[in-house]
Amino acid sequence: MKTWEMIKELTENPKKKFVSDKGLPCEIIAYVNTINVLTFKYKDGEISRGMFIGREWEEVKEPLSFIEVLKAIEEGVPSYLSLESETSDVGYENWALDEMLADLTDCFGSDEIADILLNSKFYIND
């Protein structure tokens, strides 16, 4: 997305983060800091004093715990989820919570489901 689109997204949802030139030495992260200031930071932590306006940006998705996912859904956040398990060979992309839980129930026992839910990274998809 273009710089103006990224800034618009941050004004609408200041909890988001965006990255430009991901994986390159000049990677820059844009976010709103704790005192509500739009901040641009290089990968090494140094704050950028300026930036090329023509950069392309992509949102940085922060992983959530299962409890955080449940709280977000309870608060009305869209409930399409992705899951990356760190302990088993399981992954889901853009599933509703009820469908994901039903599929886990069909494929695994209670102890395995508990392990997957407790030890996976969850992402909420817009």
Side-chain angles (χ1 to χ4, degrees):
M1 74 179 49
K2 300 292 182 193
T3 301
W4 70 268
E5 294 168 310
M6 175 271 298
I7 292 171
K8 180 179 181 289
E9 289 270 335
L10 283 171
T11 60
E12 293 170 354
N13 186 349
K15 292 182 180 182
K16 290 185 174 184
K17 287 185 182 180
F18 293 86
V19 66
S20 179
D21 296 335
K22 188 174 184 177
L24 298 176
C26 60
E27 177 178 301
I28 292 180
I29 297 173
Y31 61 97
V32 176
N33 70 16
T34 56
I35 58 171
N36 214 28
V37 173
L38 177 58
T39 305
F40 299 95
K41 191 178 280 191
Y42 287 107
K43 186 178 183 178
D44 65 7
E46 181 181 334
I47 295 194
S48 172
R49 302 280 185 247
M51 148 191 83
F52 292 107
I53 205 75
R55 285 184 175 268
E56 289 290 324
W57 298 86
E58 62 183 79
E59 186 176 350
V60 175
K61 295 285 190 175
E62 299 290 337
L64 303 171
S65 70
F66 185 62
I67 298 299
E68 291 170 316
V69 167
L70 294 177
K71 287 179 182 177
I73 292 171
E74 183 180 55
E75 293 171 3
V77 174
S79 59
Y80 287 98
L81 309 171
S82 295
L83 173 149
E84 295 174 7
S85 177
E86 297 183 350
T87 57
S88 62
D89 191 26
V90 176
Y92 293 89
E93 186 76 32
N94 281 333
W95 285 59
L97 178 62
D98 58 340
E99 294 169 350
M100 183 185 297
L101 293 174
D103 191 68
L104 285 169
T105 302
D106 288 344
C107 299
F108 300 98
S110 295
D111 58 335
E112 294 168 306
I113 294 171
D115 181 63
I116 291 167
L117 295 178
L118 289 172
N119 296 304
S120 293
K121 293 179 183 176
F122 291 85
Y123 301 89
I124 296 177
N125 303 320
D126 297 334

